Amino acid sequence: MSSSVPPYPRKRFGQNFLVDHNIVKKIVARAALSPHETVLEIGPGRGALTRVLCQVATRVLAVEIDEDLFRNLQDELKAHVNLELSFGDALAYPYTTLPPHTVVVANLPYNISTPLLFKLFDARASVDRMILMLQLEVAKRLAAKAGTREYGVLSVLAQYFADVDVAFTVSRTCFRPRPDVESAIVELRLKPPCEMDRPEDIQQFVRVVKAAFSHRRKTLLNAMRDAGMASDALKVAFEGTGIHGGRRAETLTVHDFQRLARMLALA
Ligand code: SAM
């Protein structure tokens, strides 16, 4: 490793580096990359995943926020002509410039994984699927089904944008330094924009889901009314959909929320 590498991993950048090569191979195998696909890696770090991605993919884009790691990677991976490294914040990355059929493969910095996920959902015109290392608890929430303890806003919104599967769990011993939490690889296959609602309907859907879960212990009617939605409109929407306002948010499927949001837009 060159002398530009920081002596200690930077906690503020969520630096828990993968040191188990078998896990790296399992992640890349799960990505099942085809030659026409471009890979985007967020946070290449010391390059454990990047090296293998460069061996199997035609084109690899990678964005790293830590300048020392970025410079080190430029040096260490210069032989890989299919790698395009950029230095910067993945939260400010120009996702709209990604080529079609991009696959995101990343061991994400856990501290910003949720806002990053929403940036990536917004990029679904170009992103086909994502293979992501996440905190196990977040992975479970993303894939949770209605009626379970983990089911909430994150589950409904993620499953609205994508089909979600927890692929496998990853032990803390596979990282240096060891993270404080368990991890898992999640695969999210994004729904193509043509199958999605219009932008204003998506906004309405998000508003409805957040309002429904805003007071978990309250009924739908009370929670949504307390979140600022008009009682009359809510009553019309509950009647129109056949969804009882006395139910709790966690009993509704993604499809139920879609029906409710559409009916509320008309009410
Ligand atoms: N991919 C490497 C691996 O698997 O060993 C490193 C993964 S580590 C969990 C997260 C990486 O994301 C670190 O390299 C960190 O510097 C980088 N990172 C953190 N915040 C970032 C951001 N906002 N934009 C881009 N990279 C970021």
Side-chain angles (χ1 to χ4, degrees):
M1 197 91 25
S2 95
S3 57
S4 64
V5 175
Y8 298 106
R10 291 178 167 136
K11 208 170 173 165
R12 73 177 188 281
F13 289 148
Q15 290 175 355
N16 298 99
F17 300 105
L18 260 174
V19 292
D20 185 323
H21 194 62
N22 284 329
I23 296 294
V24 171
K25 285 199 289 190
K26 262 179 98 170
I27 296 169
V28 177
R30 180 75 191 203
L33 297 161
S34 320
H36 67 283
E37 292 173 320
T38 296
V39 175
L40 170 68
E41 186 187 5
I42 293 170
R46 292 180 178 169
L49 199 49
T50 327
R51 280 184 185 83
V52 181
L53 288 170
C54 286
Q55 285 161 13
V56 299
T58 314
R59 186 177 178 208
V60 179
L61 311 173
V63 53
E64 174 57 59
I65 203 170
D66 185 316
E67 194 171 357
D68 293 321
L69 289 178
F70 168 74
R71 289 193 189 291
N72 182 65
L73 283 171
Q74 272 186 319
D75 185 34
E76 297 243 319
L77 301 186
K78 60 176 177 274
H80 294 285
V81 290
N82 56 342
L83 173 65
E84 296 164 46
L85 273 174
S86 43
F87 167 56
D89 182 353
L91 287 171
Y93 189 84
Y95 292 100
T96 50
T97 63
L98 288 171
H101 309 301
T102 297
V103 181
V104 181
V105 183
N107 171 14
L108 287 185
Y110 294 168
N111 49 342
I112 55 163
S113 63
T114 305
L116 268 175
L117 271 171
F118 284 97
K119 294 263 175 207
L120 293 164
F121 291 147
D122 282 346
R124 62 191 174 280
S126 316
V127 176
D128 284 359
R129 60 190 191 285
M130 317 196 249
I131 316 297
L132 304 176
M133 179 85 76
L134 291 161
Q135 201 175 324
L136 178 61
E137 188 206 309
V138 174
K140 284 183 177 166
R141 281 165 53 205
L142 286 171
K145 294 293 167 221
T148 60
R149 194 171 47 87
E150 290 94 357
Y151 188 69
V153 175
L154 192 60
S155 330
V156 178
L157 297 186
Q159 292 166 40
Y160 176 69
F161 290 113
D163 293 315
V164 187
D165 286 312
V166 177
F168 53 91
T169 55
V170 181
S171 155
R172 298 170 204 229
T173 58
C174 300
F175 303 87
R176 291 286 179 284
R178 290 183 185 189
D180 299 331
V181 291
E182 296 299 325
S183 303
I185 290 292
V186 179
E187 179 172 347
L188 300 107
R189 291 173 300 283
L190 294 182
K191 296 176 188 170
C194 60
E195 284 178 22
M196 298 290 302
D197 295 323
R198 296 168 307 158
E200 56 271 35
D201 298 328
I202 295 177
Q203 276 176 14
Q204 167 77 347
F205 179 81
V206 172
R207 205 167 74 89
V208 165
V209 174
K210 287 187 174 166
F213 280 102
S214 59
H215 300 89
R216 252 188 117 95
R217 286 192 212 182
K218 292 192 178 175
T219 62
L220 274 178
L221 176 63
N222 289 341
M224 295 174 83
R225 203 176 39 201
D226 288 0
M229 295 191 153
S231 303
D232 291 350
L234 285 169
K235 281 179 188 151
V236 170
F238 289 135
E239 267 175 36
T241 53
I243 294 168
H244 196 278
R247 285 170 63 180
R248 289 181 206 281
E250 59 266 30
T251 68
L252 269 64
T253 63
V254 176
H255 184 59
D256 289 334
F257 279 113
Q258 266 176 302
R259 291 192 301 123
L260 196 56
R262 283 185 192 142
M263 197 58 82
L264 273 166
L266 300 173

